[in-house]
């Protein structure tokens, strides 16, 4: 009873915060996976239970819009209060298996930004690192080649910490180097999963379920590390491939990793605009307003463990957004 009253009060607060300053604001949520169950190796990912209550909360207390409608109404200043849209990055198979049934149960839709080079590919390079560290048989691993020394693998928590540290070291390397390092690590492990990413058939099914598909480059590189020709090919070829595969226009793009300066540059915004895309999305936390750059719209990854905290953070970010 108390929680219901608190959520009702927070809904009123969200209405006020999302319209404060005379302009309605758009909250763009970003997910990657919806796991079968919590996983210590992937602490930032939603699972079926948490994603279910989050979608129930959104359906009950917010105005959840398809991305195309949300962007159009953002630009013409006709957003409803408490406007939200839902996005996923990368193209994990659990998006179709776990996320879509929950979305449809709540009569919601989402946009899925796909790194096309990993379709049928089994794992992204970072997944190879995570799963290799999870499955290494020894109680420690020598990462001196990366300046990390010998790191312990005795407990699941130690394995998770080691994976996070190594991912941080590898993240901004050129794609071929990241891949080589992850494959060398995988060669020391056993029983790595090879079905984490969507297949082409699964992506077609995702689209057939009424979900918007967006671009996310071919190989998920750090665009800021690439020359202009390579970056252009990553963005344009991804779009062309997905359009051919789905026989549908690909209207929206998300920058891999998504931080301006660290991960992409303003030149990449211009490439996305010229493709042409209708809008592009970063991972800078916050909410979008009509004054936002439509080629660098902010998104937020939810991590709060309870509905009240989840709502409080959304109210706070609506408030900060203007």
């Amino acid at each position: 009873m108390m929680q219901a009253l608190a959520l009702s009060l927070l809904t009123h607060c969200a209405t006020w915060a999302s319209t404060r300053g005379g302009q309605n604001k758009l909250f763009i949520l970003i997910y990657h996976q919806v796991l079968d169950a919590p996983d210590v190796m992937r602490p930032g990912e939603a699972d079926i239970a948490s994603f279910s209550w989050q979608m129930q909360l959104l359906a009950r207390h917010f105005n959840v819009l398809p991305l195309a409608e949300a962007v159009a109404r953002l630009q013409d200043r006709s957003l409803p209060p408490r406007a939200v849209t839902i996005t996923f990055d990368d193209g994990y198979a659990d998006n179709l298996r776990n996320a879509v049934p929950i979305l449809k149960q709540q009569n919601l839709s989402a946009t899925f930004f796909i790194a096309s080079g990993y379709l049928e590919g089994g794992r992204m390079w970072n997944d190879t690192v995570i799963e290799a560290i999870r499955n290494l048989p020894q109680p420690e691993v020598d990462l001196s080649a990366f300046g990390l020394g010998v790191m312990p693998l005795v407990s699941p928590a130690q394995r998770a910490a080691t994976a996070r540290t190594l991912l941080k070291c590898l993240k901004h390397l050129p794609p071929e180097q990241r891949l080589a390092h992850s494959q060398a690590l995988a060669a020391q492990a056993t029983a790595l999963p090879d079905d984490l990413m969507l297949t082409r058939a699964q992506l077609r099914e995702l689209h057939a379920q009424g979900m918007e598909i967006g671009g996310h480059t071919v190989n998920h590189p750090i665009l800021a590390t690439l020359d202009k020709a390579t970056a252009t090919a990553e963005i344009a070829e991804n779009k062309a491939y997905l359009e051919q595969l789905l026989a549908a226009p690909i209207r929206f793009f998300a920058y891999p990793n998504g931080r301006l300066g660290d991960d992409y540059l303003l030149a990449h915004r211009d490439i996305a605009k010229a493709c042409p895309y209708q809008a592009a999305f970063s991972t800078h936390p916050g909410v979008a307003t009509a004054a936002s750059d439509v080629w660098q719209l902010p998104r937020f990854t939810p991590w709060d463990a309870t509905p009240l905290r989840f709502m409080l953070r959304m109210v706070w970010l609506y408030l900060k957004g203007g």
Side-chain angles (χ1 to χ4, degrees), residues 13-320:
C13 291
T15 299
W16 170 74
S18 68
T19 59
R20 181 173 175 264
Q23 57 178 339
N24 289 359
K25 306 175 186 71
L26 176 63
F27 207 118
I28 308 170
L29 289 171
I30 172 176
Y31 294 90
H32 291 82
Q33 294 185 261
V34 176
L35 305 172
D36 295 344
D39 182 356
V40 68
M41 297 296 292
R42 299 174 184 270
E45 303 297 347
D47 59 67
I48 289 173
S50 63
F51 189 70
S52 293
W53 68 251
Q54 289 176 13
M55 295 305 103
Q56 290 171 8
L57 193 76
L58 293 177
R60 183 173 301 173
H61 297 281
F62 293 84
N63 291 301
V64 183
L65 306 174
L67 185 60
E69 179 183 352
V71 170
R73 296 184 68 175
L74 174 70
Q75 292 176 295
D76 68 18
R77 301 175 184 266
S78 67
L79 283 171
R82 306 185 312 282
V84 174
T85 193
I86 303 163
T87 68
F88 282 78
D89 281 7
D90 299 340
Y92 285 94
D94 59 36
N95 294 176
L96 177 64
R97 184 178 69 248
N98 294 339
V100 168
I102 295 168
L103 288 166
K104 293 184 79 69
Q105 185 179 42
Q106 300 298 328
N107 198 30
L108 303 176
S109 66
T111 296
F112 296 80
F113 294 107
I114 306 299
S116 54
Y118 292 99
L119 292 172
E120 312 282 354
R123 298 183 303 270
M124 297 182 74
W125 73 271
N126 52 298
D127 297 310
T128 296
V129 170
I130 291 170
E131 297 303 328
I133 294 295
R134 187 200 305 273
N135 289 285
L136 286 174
Q138 63 265 31
E140 60 184 24
V141 60
D142 187 353
L143 299 177
S144 299
F146 308 103
L148 301 175
V150 176
M151 300 194 70
L153 302 175
V154 176
S155 68
Q158 288 176 336
R159 288 179 183 265
T162 296
R164 287 195 301 271
T165 301
L166 184 54
L167 288 171
K168 189 174 181 179
C169 284
L170 299 180
K171 185 175 182 179
H172 286 82
L173 292 179
E176 63 275 9
Q177 291 185 31
R178 294 186 317 200
L179 181 61
H181 288 311
S182 64
Q183 289 177 337
L185 189 63
Q188 305 175 46
T190 58
L192 302 189
D194 60 2
D195 59 353
L196 296 182
M197 310 308 293
L198 291 162
T199 65
R200 289 185 287 272
Q202 287 173 327
L203 181 60
R204 291 191 190 100
E205 175 62 20
L206 187 68
H207 185 247
Q209 291 284 342
M211 303 298 159
E212 178 101 26
I213 306 302
H216 200 42
T217 72
V218 177
N219 297 301
H220 203 278
I222 302 296
L223 291 169
T225 68
L226 305 181
D227 61 69
K228 183 178 180 180
T230 305
T232 300
E234 281 281 346
I235 297 171
E237 290 175 12
N238 170 244
K239 185 176 190 291
Y241 179 86
L242 292 174
E243 289 182 333
Q244 181 179 33
L245 179 67
L246 300 174
I250 302 297
R251 301 183 287 180
F252 304 107
F253 176 74
Y255 303 100
N257 294 288
R259 293 278 185 165
L260 178 63
D262 292 333
D263 303 318
Y264 75 95
L265 307 174
L266 291 180
H268 304 117
R269 176 194 62 180
D270 297 338
I271 294 170
K273 188 175 181 179
C275 267
Y277 278 109
Q278 294 180 14
F281 300 83
S282 72
T283 59
H284 288 278
V287 296
T289 71
S292 299
D293 182 354
V294 75
W295 304 105
Q296 299 184 89
L297 291 172
R299 295 187 292 168
F300 172 73
T301 300
W303 68 83
D304 295 291
T306 68
L308 287 176
R309 289 183 177 275
F310 185 90
M311 283 278 281
L312 279 168
R313 192 175 304 278
M314 293 189 74
V315 169
W316 171 240
L317 285 173
Y318 275 135
L319 194 59
K320 282 183 64 180

